[in-house]
Amino acid sequence: MSSNTLNLVITGVGGQGQITLARVIAEAALLRGVNAIVAETHGLSQRGGTVIVHVRLGEVEAPLIPPGTADAILAMELIEAARYAYYLRKGSIAVVNDYLVPPPLPKIEVPSRDELLGIVRSYSDRVVLVPATHEALRIGDSRVANMILLGAAIKSNIFKDFIDFSSAEEAIKRVLGRAAKPNIEALHRGADLAK
Amino acid sequence: MLGNVAIARGFLEAGLQFAAAYPGTPSTEIVEALSTASRVLGGKPYVEWSTNEKVAVEAALGAAIAGVRAVATMKHVGLNVAADPFFSSAYLGVSGALVIVTADDPWMWSSQNEQDNRWYGLHAYVPVIEPTGAQDAKEAARLALSYSEKYKRPFILRTTTRIAHTRVPVDTGEIPLEKLEPQGEFIKDPSKWTLVPQYARRKRLELLDFWDKVSEELADFPLNSVEGSGDIAVVGVGIGYRYAKEAISMLGAQDKITLFKVSTSVPLPRALAEKISSYDTILVIEEGDPVVEMQLKTVLQELGSRARVYGKHGKPLLPRYGELGLEKVVSALSTVLGIEPPTWAKEPPKPSGQKLPPRPPVLCPGCPYRGFFYALRRAVNKLRLKPVYSGDIGCYSLGVNPPFYVQDTIIEMGGSIGAGNGFSHVLRGDRDIVIAIIGDSTFFHSGVPPLINAVYNKAPLLVIVLDNHTTAMTGHQPHPGTGVLAIGEQVEPMSIESVARGVGVEKVLVADPFDVKDSETKLVEALRYVKENKKPAVLVAKGACILVALRTAAKNGIRPVPYRVNLEKCTGCGICYTAFNCPAIYRRPDGKAEIDPALCTGCGVCAEICPFKAFEPVEEPNPEWFKIMRTARPVY
Ligand code: SF4
Ligand code: SF4
């Protein structure tokens, strides 16, 4: 698609903060005068199911990203990264939380971390792995993992000119209000991790 | 702004005075936003969560008859529940305004079916306004309310998931604060407000007149427009317009196409249809059923036009199921243009061939239902019963999955007790028993009439009410059992046990779902009672939705302590990750259990069910937490 748009797929397991992540990205883009459309999934997906959020920035009309055309994927979990990697186009980037949540189903076969990453690599030339949840737990709040991933993604240049650290910080303040401080710290932690 | 919030804003800008709803995805946030507004504005407009959609429409209709500007919002299947008053409302008309919002859910992201409620508009003679996206949802809502006020007739505002749950920037206008206060007045006039045959017949004729008139006048609806001047007509209906617009620019086909933006899908305005029929090639892009396509074809036929209409009929270019997508619209448009579609549209890449484990939604870690379902399976095994689990809609629907399998049928809201009545009278054999499982909100929605039926007709069934003190699945709205109104005012909570006793259930028990032993004992008692007495029994299991409990704890500065596995005690029996199945617990390669501290909520139930006492808290938990877990209610 054209260079004045950015198609971004955000995935993970329900409850990992994908919708907040998408809202922060959209808000950050709007702050810089870039149009944004965020299509969310709700309802049952909140309960530990697979989640996909479509974020489209720039000159866009339709809410959903067609498979094979996403410029980047931000994945909060490895199985979900592999599941939705087919949305990516050639030359795209995958920013993936190095964290695996086995589906809680009795007798389930879970592929290994390396197998899952292999699938992501078969769709994307550039995979940035970030230990976001581990880092978040180390800091003491697993909920900020999404902002760690965002920091790493901005550092990896997936947002072109649409978003930078200062617009992201401002967006976090607007979206998260009182909880902004630890999230902004997490954002910068993510940037360090992506170095 | 979320599409649903934009709709709420549009209603407020139009001077909304009364809103009623039952929550349902993807409609819920409309009334959530309105109740927030009402709280800020001191109770104006009046906003309520009704016990079900039928009640919501009845209440809104009553208000509108009394001259008030009213809306009732619901998900698509909610309109089935409300169909009866809805059809009557078309005959009666209103003296204020009445808009019914139906949020359709193509591809059933969180619904039991996919249904296009524009048919209801055609069926009941109620005009349907469809915004083309979250961008103009606000304007569509505002206009729907003011058109309803102008014609004194109900209007439908139809959205789909991608309008309701899409976030885009929206410009806002003024809210006329002085107009939000409802000041109803009922003027008696039986010939106007009673549908006895002599009056209803006259109203039928008036309704048909109105339909002709509105078919003419809606052509100028402000959200309808025409773009471009090419030889091919593309009709973009509702969200279909957004897909059409982007597809046209992607294919660089601006010069070849005239794009009709249609926001009045029912009735399709006559003048608009005539304009479209002057083209030889027409492509209709709409989400759901071919409702506009069909109306358009009727007009074409009357006009003797030979235009080719592409859409969802005949050799369809677009499917009659699921959501629209750019790839679908781009390839349909390419066919009409006679060009090769780009590869991503023609052959969209497939998911990887490698097998990935499915991830169905599951009960949250720490959900009270998990321990209870575990106890239920044990009680049933102990008594060697073969139950039919008559299920319902709510978080507990997830009990359909392994390892519990405690939902054999899921029909609709309230269907568990209703169908349970049927099962209980026809099942033969002594081991069969009917267990109807329903949530607290669903019980109030439509569980009471079938419970009355069970008592009256002596249906031998056990009704389990899983009471987590909220409507959890849609995001924690209050209901009559919670003791709070939509705008936050405290009221006397209604007790499910008293309702059950009040309608004549003789055996009513209460269990603590976080106490697996207690639950099992009470279940055994209740099941025995039903078997022996051939009468219904009700068991209420009370424990807070863990998401609410966690929030309450955080507010009070209490940190739930996660649990861990003592690997020396763990024998790898697997009960916790196969039969109990908490998502925070998984199997290590050596078969022993492990807890993911990022997921564990510290409910402690694993410690009860492990036969080897292998689970222990990481540190001494705060006893307050265990109290909160059982009693927390959402704060509004
Ligand atoms: S939302 Fe609440 S009730 Fe629903 S599964 Fe989670 S904890 Fe259970
Ligand atoms: S305490 Fe045990 S049962 Fe409760 S959430 Fe944690 S691991 Fe699951």
Side-chain angles (χ1 to χ4, degrees), chain B residues 528-545:
Chain B
R528 283 214 173 107
Y529 172 87
V530 174
K531 287 252 92 167
E532 281 158 21
N533 298 279
K534 302 267 176 276
K535 279 187 194 166
V538 169
L539 190 157
V540 188
K542 291 168 178 278
C545 167

Side-chain angles (χ1 to χ4, degrees), chain B residues 61 64 67-69 89-98 145-155 192-193 203 207 210:
Chain B
L61 176 59
V68 162
R69 279 183 294 274
S89 74
Y91 276 63
L92 286 172
V94 295
S95 67
L98 175 62
L145 204 55
S146 55
Y147 271 63
S148 168
E149 188 165 28
K150 173 174 157 203
Y151 289 105
K152 306 279 177 229
R153 295 275 172 186
F155 271 61
K192 212 164 168 197
W193 303 125
K203 286 183 169 290
L207 187 55
F210 158 71

Side-chain angles (χ1 to χ4, degrees), chain A residues 62-79:
Chain A
L64 297 180
I65 299 169
T69 66
D71 302 297
I73 186 169
L74 252 65
M76 291 293 295
E77 198 273 340
L78 287 157
I79 299 176

